[in-house]
Amino acid sequence: MALEEFRFLESAYNDAFFNMGLDEAVLDSVAYGARPTLRLYAWEPKAVSIGYFQGLKDEVDEAACKAIGVDVVRRLTGGGAVYHADELTYSIIVPEKHPLAGKSILESYKNLSAGLIKGLEELGINAFFAPLNDICWQDKKISGNAQTRRKGCILQHGTLLLSVNAEEMFSLLKVPNEKLKDKVIESVKARVGSVSDILGRGISYKEAALAAETGFRAVLGSLGKKEEATGLELENAKKSAVNRFQNTEWTKRR
Amino acid sequence: MKGSYIGKAPGSKLFRVSLEWEGQTVKSITIKGDFFAHPEQGFEEAEASLAGQALPGLGAMFKKELEDRSVELFGLSPLDLDVALAAILSGV
């Protein structure tokens, strides 16, 4: 049976609150019958996102973020803190009964991130899925992915690091033992890679987004032409940005 | 009394426990970290249900509360809670 055509949104650069709000708004749309949706996007200004179960004060130096204009947002999804600077982000929303949801959460992570792996192949990068939620190249993590399941739908979003600046990242993120911060930075440099590092050249968001589009087009069965989010989605995204993601009750809930 | 713990079981995600207790009873407990729980709300309900419970066997109690709500956990085992509690209580 042919898969239903995915809707394709590319919203490019927006702030953290709108980005998370639009993911939630699209999840609501799919829950109310819209087509499964792929979205590609990026973050302006730069932002730190923390996982659903993380403690804000444990993970983020809020004063340091404020000082350089970096937004801080809590995600709907679990996982760790992420510094969203030079990266491509995708989100994919499908009903839980969709064939790509698979028979287990692990299988769904693999299926829903397969397009990004295929997109990396377009760039000449032979990446692979590393359970539970990472995409790696050789021994380096280049993408982290996270999921939530609500209203009968799966929202999976993930980042692809285009370049990484570990020093800047850890001027904003806290580590469990500050005395060992230098060692943590060295360890992260050894374990985390970026597309630029691998290719040995810079890569723009536009080039990465085109490769990701090609990759997802190949694995999703059918992906529609690029379109805009609906008026209702944009309206709901703005409401969600203000009422949830910018709201300190949400950000500081843990 | 109050105590906290930061740990990471092999192959698991980092987790932090903040505990307030009196005698052998939990007054409040928060479990934070990089882990995933589906559904998230079920995890929070199970976590909240631990207040008022006895400290001994709290990990098994947490496991049951998660199972009762069909919560799937990734990157954390409910029994990791016992490791955290042992560390917190031995620090007293």
Side-chain angles (χ1 to χ4, degrees), chain A residues 52-54 58 148 254, chain B residues 31-34 40 44 47:
Chain A
Y52 186 97
F53 294 107
Q54 291 189 298
D58 298 330
T148 187
R254 279 179 179 264
Chain B
I31 306 157
K32 298 181 284 186
D34 301 2
E40 294 85 359
E44 291 181 314
E47 179 190 41

Side-chain angles (χ1 to χ4, degrees), chain A residues 87-107:
Chain A
E87 68 167 45
L88 167 75
T89 310
Y90 77 92
S91 64
I92 187 163
I93 295 114
V94 298
E96 285 189 80
K97 290 180 181 166
H98 193 276
L100 290 177
K103 291 185 176 139
S104 68
I105 288 176
L106 178 62
E107 195 182 337

Side-chain angles (χ1 to χ4, degrees), chain B residues 30-45:
Chain B
T30 311
I31 306 157
K32 298 181 284 186
D34 301 2
F35 52 87
F36 295 89
H38 301 286
E40 294 85 359
Q41 197 182 344
F43 179 94
E44 291 181 314
E45 288 170 8

